[in-house]
Amino acid sequence: MLHSSSGSAMRTTLITVFAIVAFLAVAFMLLPKGFSGDTSIIGQGSSVVVLAHNKDSVQSLNLMEYMNQVRDDYTSKVKFVVADANTPNGRIFIEAQQVELGSLLLFSPNGTRLQVVSNIDSQSSLRSVLDATFK
């Protein structure tokens, strides 16, 4: 009887380890791709656009896709950063800025927050905001 329960415990441990590894792999795949999460660059001499991101928000996911579509055209003018609400640093930044998830925060090179935009519904509206803010 002792041998059977230790085999069951080993099987349970293996299943648990596999589940944790699978969860971490899925979580890693859901992280924003290609965007820095380093909000400390704000005020360091470059204009910065920060997405207050939540992977569970359709608006936030759409906005990230628009950012992906336009960022190559703006790399000489602005740095794109994602503050992910599912990470400690991202959550702290979003709470400190007191903004809604799915919002864009636009910062000047000296770190002044220029505006917060939350109504971007297309690539062209994102371009309009970026062009008007970072001439």
Side-chain angles (χ1 to χ4, degrees):
M1 188 73 168
L2 183 59
H3 178 66
S4 176
S5 66
S6 67
S8 176
M10 178 65 102
R11 193 172 27 249
T12 301
T13 301
L14 287 173
I15 290 170
T16 302
V17 168
F18 177 76
I20 291 170
V21 169
F23 172 78
L24 291 174
V26 169
F28 179 75
M29 289 187 304
L30 292 175
L31 287 175
K33 302 291 186 263
F35 290 102
S36 169
D38 184 9
T39 56
S40 71
I41 66 169
I42 296 170
Q44 302 298 316
S46 296
S47 298
V48 179
V49 174
V50 180
L51 169 59
H53 180 66
N54 178 2
K55 66 177 175 46
D56 297 326
S57 162
V58 172
Q59 177 183 352
S60 184
L61 292 171
N62 287 341
L63 192 46
M64 180 171 285
E65 180 58 30
Y66 304 147
M67 286 173 54
N68 265 327
Q69 293 169 354
V70 305
R71 73 174 158 173
D72 287 344
D73 297 335
Y74 291 90
T75 54
S76 65
K77 295 181 182 180
V78 66
K79 295 184 186 273
F80 291 95
V81 175
V82 172
D84 188 340
N86 297 303
T87 65
N89 289 341
R91 192 169 36 257
I92 290 167
F93 177 83
I94 292 166
E95 289 172 4
Q97 292 294 320
Q98 299 179 343
V99 294
E100 294 180 22
L101 296 173
S103 298
L104 278 185
L105 297 85
L106 292 84
F107 293 90
S108 71
N110 70 6
T112 301
R113 190 169 94 178
L114 301 172
Q115 65 177 321
V116 176
V117 183
S118 58
N119 59 347
I120 294 176
D121 59 1
S122 68
Q123 180 190 134
S124 61
S125 62
L126 175 57
R127 285 183 186 278
S128 295
V129 167
L130 295 175
D131 290 342
T133 307
F134 305 113
K135 297 175 185 170

